Amino acid sequence: MTRADSTRDTAAPQRRDFPPDFRWGCATASYQVEGAAHADGKGESIWDRFCTQPGAIRDGSSGAVACDHFHRWPQDLDLARDLGVNAYRFSVAWPRIFPAGRGAAPNAAGLDFYSRLVDGLLERGIEPWLTLYHWDLPQPLQDAGGWAARATLDAFAAYVDAVTRRLGDRVKRWITQNEPWCVAMLGHHEGVHAPGRRDLATALQVAHHVLLSHGQALPIIRANVPDALAGITLSLHPIAPAGPGAADAAAAFRHDGLRNRWFLDPLHGRGYPADVWQRLGALAPTVLPGDLEAIARPTDFLGINYYFPEHVADAPGHGVLEARVVEPGAEVERTGFGWEVAPDGLVRLLDRVQRDYRPAPIVLTENGATYDDVVTPDGRIHDAERQRYLQRHVAAAREVLARGIALQGYFAWSLLDNFEWAEGYLRRFGLIHVDYATQQRTLKDSGLWYRDFLRA
Ligand code: GCO
């Protein structure tokens, strides 16, 4: 980055630097906040099951109670309104709608819950952004093969139909899938997320079916909600070679092939990247005629979750890609997770996506950080690092706009501290602190900053 760039990046952003219709939000996901694992006929999800496996979750916890948002949502939506957000991203738990994953009729009580939530948002002047799949697959579908089985696609389509029919009169922003890379690779290759499989071929078949489920959901959403705006959310990373040589540059390209291009290419009508496909050999997924056309159906926006960049070195013999992600040096600023703090990476990433894909307008559907927050005796939560993280990334979003890229919204992850998947409750990402013993909510300094930024 040049000095001029970095000055622009850190000058305190103002809301008026952004268009008046820019969406400012917070995001959550059902399993991470709702709790109420068995309420109102909810079925078991793969995360309910995964959390019972010894060692699966670092603190031995689960999302069974989480933030008890299922019962406390009115208070949580009040807090969101007080922040001043005009949009809120949440996900629907499929097992609340179809406890067994599929069935003749949806569970009315499950739909009622989200209907009340949506009304609660609209009453508070907050636009609902609904994610249809944020990882809590009904366990009975997993027992029948999960996302690796093509039959799961029909169940997903029926679920999408039920949710859009019931909520589409009020919900106009629809996100089909959240982070297919994580679903596929963390859940089925690395085994650190539900359902805990460790098989690359399965993971790649899952990735294909998750993308295809997105494509198949689009006409259902559009039929049931004629004025819907629909898209998918990807987790993307700007990727750079670890060193100056040509070997690292080639490795970075290969790594990008599975991390980013594997999803961006088919969504933009190019099919799967040939270089990666060729390396995969027999591991490549089964793709049926018509699948790629469905995946490439046009969307109204591209959701991007941005957290950190990656540096990649050539690593002969290491995995199919023969590439290895290298930890940045000790001088590099990191979050509590060890993730590199790189607001300029957001600019690089969106520049690249814009240049290479000419996508639909972009919405940052997640951005945020975990740190060890300081709780003072008087009950205040000081999180200067998170505040600075958010401020610098919002400034980077302004830089993205200045480059003429159609960015339409920014959602902070997360409204509340919540169940951080394999890390359990050890990692806090919230603008609002949750005391899990009492369920008391306390606005953190970062939340105060966001509120002041939004109000100004
Ligand atoms: C995502 C995640 C969130 C995580 C967040 C922090 O969509 O990326 O699934 O649910 O909690 O990314 O890791």
Side-chain angles (χ1 to χ4, degrees), residues 44 52 89 132 139 203 220 243 298 343 374 388 390 416:
E44 187 188 20
T52 65
R89 176 174 178 236
L132 286 156
Q139 180 64 38
I220 301 170
V374 180
R388 199 172 130 70
L390 294 173
L416 303 167

Side-chain angles (χ1 to χ4, degrees), residues 117-152:
L117 183 76
V118 165
D119 284 344
L121 287 164
L122 295 172
E123 281 160 16
R124 290 167 179 80
I126 301 172
E127 180 179 58
W129 286 61
L130 190 156
T131 304
L132 286 156
Y133 187 76
H134 201 132
W135 307 358
D136 35 8
L137 186 76
Q139 180 64 38
L141 293 181
Q142 185 60 46
D143 296 339
W147 285 111
R150 205 158 164 115
T152 296

